[in-house]
Amino acid sequence: MKIPIDSARLEKEIDELSLISEQPAPVVTRILFSEADLRGRDYVKNLFRQAGLSVREDAVGNIFARWQGLDNTAPAVATGSHIDAIPNAGKFDGVVGVLGAIEAIRSLQKARFVPRTSIECIIFTAEEPTRFGLGCLGSRLLAGTLSSERIAALRDKEGHDLEHWRKQARLSGGDPAAVRIAQDTYAGFVELHIEQGPVLEQRNLAIGIVERIAAPASLRLQLTGVGGHAGGVLMPGRRDALLAGAEIALAVEQAALTSGSPDTVATTGVFRIEPGAVNSVPCHATLEIDLRDTQLASRDAALIKIETAAAEICRHRAIGLQLERVNVDAPAICDAALVQLVADICVELKTPFTKMISRAYHDSLFMARICPTTMIFIPCRGGVSHRPDEYSSPGQICDGVAVLAETLRRLAS
Amino acid sequence: MKIPIDSARLEKEIDELSLISEQPAPVVTRILFSEADLRGRDYVKNLFRQAGLSVREDAVGNIFARWQGLDNTAPAVATGSHIDAIPNAGKFDGVVGVLGAIEAIRSLQKARFVPRTSIECIIFTAEEPTRFGLGCLGSRLLAGTLSSERIAALRDKEGHDLEHWRKQARLSGGDPAAVRIAQDTYAGFVELHIEQGPVLEQRNLAIGIVERIAAPASLRLQLTGVGGHAGGVLMPGRRDALLAGAEIALAVEQAALTSGSPDTVATTGVFRIEPGAVNSVPCHATLEIDLRDTQLASRDAALIKIETAAAEICRHRAIGLQLERVNVDAPAICDAALVQLVADICVELKTPFTKMISRAYHDSLFMARICPTTMIFIPCRGGVSHRPDEYSSPGQICDGVAVLAETLRRLAS
């Protein structure tokens, strides 16, 4: 059935949440546990409560809003996404999957649906890697993929650890690894999200159903050279950390271009130098590199190529290299039955769709490890994301919410 | 005559001033009109007053400490340097020329020297370009080389102008260009400074007398590409500002290496990208480039090479380029008679010396435009500067101060 969606209310809430930002509109910036992120969380928790959902927050700030079903013992059906946003981002990434899920639940309530199993909407902590350089922190912890040692070693740019930020967020203490949830907790997880790519728009389709999520890896490189006065140190004696970093950034691009797979993407997204003064030879550089592919083999080949090039460049330039694999995740295969269910619903609702892969990675990558998972993509203009001009129309969002609502209805019946 | 210098007192004052820093010891950071810079200025003004000098500060914060001579009408003899320090610097750059000058004056006073012409010690405002990306701000203004429009356009990273920082420093208002001084104000200017290069140490010499100062130029480049999600945007569609910046930084290095002159040095000292998140394609990069040479012709040839390469790289990568020549200064020729006077003094004091060129640039570059000028260099360990481990020994500093004191004595007699 096509469940009616209150598009205007949803748009209003997306706009309101976008104004809770560390930077003025239209820029959205909500870094994990910043004041804006905390206010954003409060805003959404309030919506959950207004919709009659019971709200629980775990020790790392994952938020669970539950619509209690008739059968208290059956595993719940879950949906959700994230509301944190990288610096200079837009208002739809993540948010559509959270506020859209609330709208789906409210629409089902209005349609007098009574769920047999409970429905939960999850806001995951730090899908974006801005704070700690590690994405999907909350869902990784729920899936039990991070050791306590690894968690304790997390540091942000200022050297603060997760414990510091949990205190800022007034979260309870205890071992963050203990938020892990059991394999049979959820009967399924469906995440609504903007595509962050151009496929749906180009093919004029309303829905993409995700069959696989690209395999991501990220590296952090610390390059240590020798500084000095930009006027006083002649060229032959230099050990300039920036120049090694520049060569590595270009090698990262080459590794993607020559991987043999058109789906390999590699990005040097962080590039910081010290001391960063015009008349001083850079003595230190920090690079963070993001590498993804739909195929594990070409992703891993590119990874090796980048690591080899970095070592070679640093040896050649006499630069000290410290290379850390921040994460090297396997791709996720979505649940075939769930994908087919969503496809059947699209056919029934006469909503044009395609099955596709997700190049961006999402909390679904980790949820897929603990329950049947898929994602519902909607188009975004120009395939643009992580920018203030990121845009999906009210109609496009509405189509996604309608498919999500019907999917939740079927799963919870 | 060899005037006795109180080396222990001078060392103590150098150490005390080094502790007035934005970062903990041994790091010295004093950016123009920061709280540390203002406290450093107060520290030195206090020493001036203790030495019986009259202290005057102009509208941009150049500080003039005057030892009144018998002849009130004759042009004064000047010395001095700067006390601002780039991030992560050491304690001798600039400071030796200020505290060393005070020690030279105190030594002359103790030796009961009575100056015929007045002697002035100048602390120049912002020799380092950290705040506004433009070095030698104070001496440029004294020499009248900056227009009021150029001054009004100065902005720091946060967008603050000179007016903002003058207010922070509680300086009087008025047109900063009006601090310009007349050509006959000083009979001569002699700046004591660490070499910031390895020549004196390698040749085991105590003193370098500067005959020429290398011709500096600096560029600021704003690169504008197209951002997007690091997972979603495939490689062929990318317009990554960081990659263009990386190619330009390598072209800067090449321009210096292939200039035909072994004295050409070129450095990309500032390299900032936006948004600077690991999973986001960099949409913007800011580069600041420093280029110097002892020869104007090879310097200018390298400058053209860099500008041409930047334009070509940005065209190739479809990146918007805004290129600003922040400063393109001519080299300074020091006063031959003054250089010979210092050489004669070195012979007389049996202090081993050489005549040399300065690769680093200094306030003397601009003072040379308005009065006979030279510099007295002393060795620094390994030629290292702009780093916390920058070092000149008490004995090396003492040699420099003794030569400076005798030079001031001759000029003021």
Side-chain angles (χ1 to χ4, degrees), chain B residues 50-342:
Chain B
Q50 284 173 12
L53 311 182
S54 61
V55 177
R56 176 175 77 82
E57 195 159 1
D58 72 14
V60 299
N62 289 311
I63 297 168
F64 305 83
R66 188 173 178 100
W67 184 10
Q68 188 61 51
L70 296 173
D71 183 348
N72 215 356
T73 59
V77 172
T79 182
S81 192
H82 64 99
I83 65 159
D84 67 323
I86 66 161
N88 208 34
K91 60 185 173 183
F92 300 98
D93 174 12
V95 166
V96 160
V98 172
L99 297 183
I102 299 179
E103 188 54 42
I105 289 170
R106 288 184 303 215
S107 301
L108 287 167
Q109 290 170 338
K110 201 177 172 201
R112 307 204 171 276
F113 171 64
V114 178
R116 186 185 62 81
T117 66
S118 298
I119 295 176
E120 281 199 7
C121 177
I122 309 175
I123 305 178
F124 296 98
T125 279
E127 194 265 352
E128 302 293 0
T130 318
R131 171 76 65 200
F132 293 116
L134 178 68
C136 299
L137 183 61
S139 52
R140 282 179 199 271
L141 288 165
L142 290 181
T145 65
L146 285 182
S147 67
S148 298
E149 294 69 32
R150 185 73 201 286
I151 299 161
L154 292 173
R155 291 290 181 281
D156 68 7
K157 265 192 296 196
E158 282 75 38
H160 296 309
D161 60 5
L162 179 59
E163 202 50 40
H164 170 93
W165 285 106
R166 285 166 74 193
K167 275 183 198 145
Q168 292 285 317
R170 296 174 300 279
L171 290 169
S172 60
D175 181 6
V179 305
R180 177 176 190 162
I181 56 178
Q183 282 280 343
D184 57 359
T185 305
Y186 294 115
F189 177 74
V190 182
E191 181 173 7
L192 175 65
H193 208 283
I194 62 169
E195 183 199 340
Q196 305 186 288
V199 174
L200 295 177
E201 184 183 66
Q202 281 168 7
R203 295 178 53 193
N204 203 22
L205 297 169
I207 297 290
I209 308 168
V210 174
E211 292 185 297
R212 274 183 296 139
I213 302 175
S218 71
L219 300 174
R220 185 181 294 125
L221 277 64
Q222 302 283 357
L223 311 182
T224 305
V226 177
H229 191 288
V233 187
L234 292 186
M235 299 308 285
R238 291 197 175 188
R239 292 164 63 188
D240 183 323
L242 177 145
L243 295 175
E247 286 193 38
I248 292 169
L250 294 168
V252 166
E253 181 190 35
Q254 277 306 308
L257 289 173
T258 62
S259 75
S261 156
D263 285 345
T264 316
V265 285
T267 310
T268 305
V270 170
F271 193 111
R272 282 194 301 271
I273 60 164
E274 290 170 28
V278 62
N279 58 354
S280 202
V281 178
C283 58
H284 194 85
T286 303
L287 277 66
E288 288 179 20
I289 295 163
D290 180 292
L291 172 64
R292 308 177 194 210
D293 203 325
T294 56
Q295 307 297 329
L296 194 57
S298 46
R299 199 281 310 272
D300 283 349
L303 182 63
I304 298 295
K305 219 180 265 186
I306 290 169
E307 291 178 341
T308 307
E312 175 57 33
I313 289 161
C314 288
R315 189 166 60 243
H316 187 71
R317 287 190 176 268
I319 298 290
L321 169 65
Q322 202 188 321
L323 188 148
E324 180 194 353
R325 289 184 169 191
V326 179
N327 60 290
V328 178
D329 297 308
I333 309 293
C334 293
D335 183 71
L338 206 46
V339 168
Q340 196 51 50
L341 172 66
V342 180

